[in-house]
């Protein structure tokens, strides 16, 4: 049974909520945004998928990339009213339904749920950078799990980012990260190369965060 849930009643800093689900994101991103898509093979087998799925759904990507995840609020699981598409771009026969049960990792950490809010904190030589986010949808399907969050406050960039884990027919397990981020404008245009470089480095850290070599 296919289940997806999303929540968009709270304010985010961008339009096109859920566009990371669009198969044509890279060709036709929301106007004014730069799209990106990266993936990495995590391993193979059901055990690898299940273990990595638990890490993914308990903020493993963010923590593994050096973020603190604080101020986490409970998600609502409320249904997103928009049409949801499969990986081939066709509308799902069974459209999203609200999630009704709570799930927890082995250490008691609640699974990420639609409507959940959190603040991602990353420290560098200039201090702590805080990015408040809202989980706008969750994917919970046989062999495919993940979520996306969008920015809800001020920061260097605004937009949406998704993290989806797949157990494919050939038994391999892959993590895909998709995003669209605001194009720098005004004063930020002068530091656009720095922003892009930091974004690419962060993506590399996120792709490695759940890899077996990283301890998952």
């Amino acid at each position: 049974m296919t289940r997806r849930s999303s929540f968009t009643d709270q304010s985010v800093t961008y339009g096109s909520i859920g566009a990371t689900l669009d198969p044509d994101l890279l060709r036709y991103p929301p106007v004014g945004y730069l799209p990106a898509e990266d993936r990495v093979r995590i391993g193979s087998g059901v055990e690898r998928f299940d273990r990595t799925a638990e890490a993914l759904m308990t903020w493993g990507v963010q923590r593994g990339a050096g973020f603190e995840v604080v101020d986490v609020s409970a998600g609502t699981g409320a249904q997103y009213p928009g049409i949801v598409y499969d990986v081939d771009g066709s509308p799902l026969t069974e459209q999203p339904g609200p999630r009704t049960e709570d799930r927890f990792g082995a250490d008691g950490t609640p699974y990420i749920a639609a409507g959940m809010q959190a603040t991602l904190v990353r420290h560098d030589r200039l201090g702590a950078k805080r990015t408040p986010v809202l989980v706008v949808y969750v994917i919970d399907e046989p062999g495919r799990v993940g979520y996306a969050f969008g920015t809800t406050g001020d920061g260097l960039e605004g937009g949406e980012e998704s993290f989806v884990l797949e157990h494919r027919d050939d038994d391999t397990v892959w993590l895909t990260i998709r995003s669209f981020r605001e194009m720098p404008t005004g004063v930020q245009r002068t530091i656009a190369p720095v922003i892009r470089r930091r974004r690419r480095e962060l993506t590399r850290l996120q792709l490695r965060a759940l890899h077996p070599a990283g301890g998952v």
Side-chain angles (χ1 to χ4, degrees):
M1 177 178 178
T2 296
R3 295 178 301 178
R4 300 191 188 188
S5 59
S6 301
F7 183 83
T8 59
D9 290 343
Q10 300 182 54
S11 177
V12 291
T13 60
Y14 61 96
S16 302
I17 297 170
T20 47
L21 286 169
D22 188 346
D24 288 329
L25 173 66
L26 296 182
R27 288 195 298 168
Y28 305 110
V31 176
Y33 291 82
L34 292 171
E37 179 178 288
D38 296 274
R39 62 173 49 89
V40 65
R41 179 176 172 176
I42 299 296
S44 61
V46 173
E47 182 179 355
R48 172 56 55 192
F49 174 79
D50 290 344
R51 184 183 302 178
T52 307
E54 178 178 326
L56 173 68
M57 299 307 294
T58 52
W59 304 99
V61 167
Q62 289 71 37
R63 292 190 170 111
F67 286 99
E68 291 182 66
V69 183
V70 300
D71 302 330
V72 179
S73 70
T76 64
Q79 177 174 305
Y80 173 49
I83 295 175
V84 176
Y85 300 87
D86 64 19
V87 293
D88 298 319
S90 301
L92 290 175
T93 302
E94 184 179 347
Q95 286 294 309
R99 187 179 183 88
T100 57
E101 74 276 14
D102 294 327
R103 298 182 66 186
F104 299 87
D107 64 354
T109 301
Y111 269 39
I112 291 169
M116 183 176 281
Q117 295 184 83
T119 300
L120 308 181
V121 183
R122 186 171 176 82
H123 298 271
D124 61 21
R125 59 187 179 82
L126 299 178
K129 293 182 171 59
R130 302 173 64 88
T131 304
V133 297
L134 169 69
V135 179
V136 295
Y137 66 77
V138 167
I139 297 171
D140 183 8
E141 303 169 3
R144 190 165 183 256
V145 299
Y147 60 92
F149 54 60
T151 52
T152 63
D154 293 335
L156 288 178
E157 302 172 285
E160 185 174 296
E161 190 166 21
S162 70
F163 308 85
V164 178
L165 186 73
E166 296 178 279
H167 185 199
R168 297 183 176 178
D169 292 341
D170 63 0
D171 204 33
T172 59
V173 178
W174 291 80
L175 173 67
T176 300
I177 300 177
R178 306 182 93 212
S179 66
F180 57 91
R181 299 281 175 174
E182 284 180 325
M183 294 181 182
T185 59
V187 175
Q188 286 192 356
R189 294 182 64 180
T190 62
I191 60 171
V194 175
I195 294 174
R196 287 195 294 269
R197 187 164 58 250
R198 288 179 177 174
R199 166 53 49 186
R200 294 307 305 165
E201 176 56 29
L202 177 56
T203 298
R204 285 192 289 271
L205 291 173
Q206 291 175 325
L207 288 169
R208 293 198 297 264
L210 302 185
H211 195 276
V216 173

